[in-house]
């Protein structure tokens, strides 16, 4: 098994229960946009999970060890329907409709690690 890197980011949703329900819906397997998932994989992201508590989202992204985050996000922004998706979900996120994913999600800093 090859080594991977993990990135953890956070973003706040609008404090609106209906918008949060919509956000959950559009991230479900039944409703997500296939082009978005395909684009995420196309840039080299191996795994992505989003967790929610109230309005707070936490996203965990796993990539190959040699993944260049800035280049990956630049390439992701150019994937089919990505700009359309970002504008669509920004209404629920309370972000600018023209913000890229990398501009909206804030990188978190690991402050504790349980060493082996």
């Amino acid at each position: 098994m090859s080594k991977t890197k993990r990135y953890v980011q956070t973003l706040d949703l609008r404090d609106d229960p209906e918008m949060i329900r919509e956000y959950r819906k559009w991230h479900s397997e039944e409703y997500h946009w296939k082009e978005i998932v395909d684009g995420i994989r196309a840039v080299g992201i191996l795994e992505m999970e989003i967790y929610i508590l109230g309005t707070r989202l936490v996203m965990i992204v796993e990539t190959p060890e040699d993944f260049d985050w800035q280049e990956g996000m630049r390439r992701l922004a150019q994937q089919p329907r990505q700009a359309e998706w970002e504008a669509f979900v920004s209404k629920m996120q309370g972000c600018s409709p023209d913000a890229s994913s990398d501009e909206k999600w804030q990188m978190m800093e690991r402050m504790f690690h349980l060493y082996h």
Side-chain angles (χ1 to χ4, degrees):
M1 182 175 181
S2 59
K3 291 190 174 194
T4 61
K5 281 197 275 192
R6 180 179 298 148
Y7 299 90
V8 180
Q9 297 181 295
T10 189
L11 179 144
D12 289 324
L13 295 174
R14 289 186 180 200
D15 192 5
D16 178 328
E18 182 56 36
M19 294 252 181
I20 293 170
R21 278 192 290 282
E22 280 290 304
Y23 197 81
R24 284 176 171 271
K25 171 186 160 182
W26 290 108
H27 284 80
S28 72
E29 256 186 82
E30 184 179 357
Y31 288 95
H32 73 257
W33 297 5
K34 182 182 181 315
E35 299 91 343
I36 301 310
V37 173
D38 291 347
I40 290 167
R41 289 189 177 122
V43 302
I45 293 173
L46 303 173
E47 182 62 74
M48 181 183 285
E49 299 175 322
I50 300 175
Y51 294 83
I52 186 169
L53 178 63
T55 60
R56 173 68 41 100
L57 299 176
V58 174
M59 180 167 58
I60 301 170
V61 179
E62 290 193 18
T63 68
E65 190 174 38
D66 63 351
F67 187 80
D68 179 318
W69 183 264
Q70 294 304 320
E71 175 61 17
M73 293 303 101
R74 186 192 66 72
R75 289 180 49 224
L76 182 61
Q78 298 171 356
Q79 295 297 308
R81 298 192 74 193
Q82 186 68 34
E84 181 185 354
W85 171 257
E86 295 300 342
F88 175 70
V89 295
S90 71
K91 294 178 247 175
M92 294 165 261
Q93 297 167 331
C95 302
S96 170
D98 59 349
S100 69
S101 179
D102 198 40
E103 292 168 329
K104 295 190 264 185
W105 288 88
Q106 300 301 302
M107 195 67 73
M108 298 180 80
E109 175 187 357
R110 181 172 73 182
M111 57 172 262
F112 173 80
H113 180 244
L114 182 64
Y115 295 94
H116 304 276

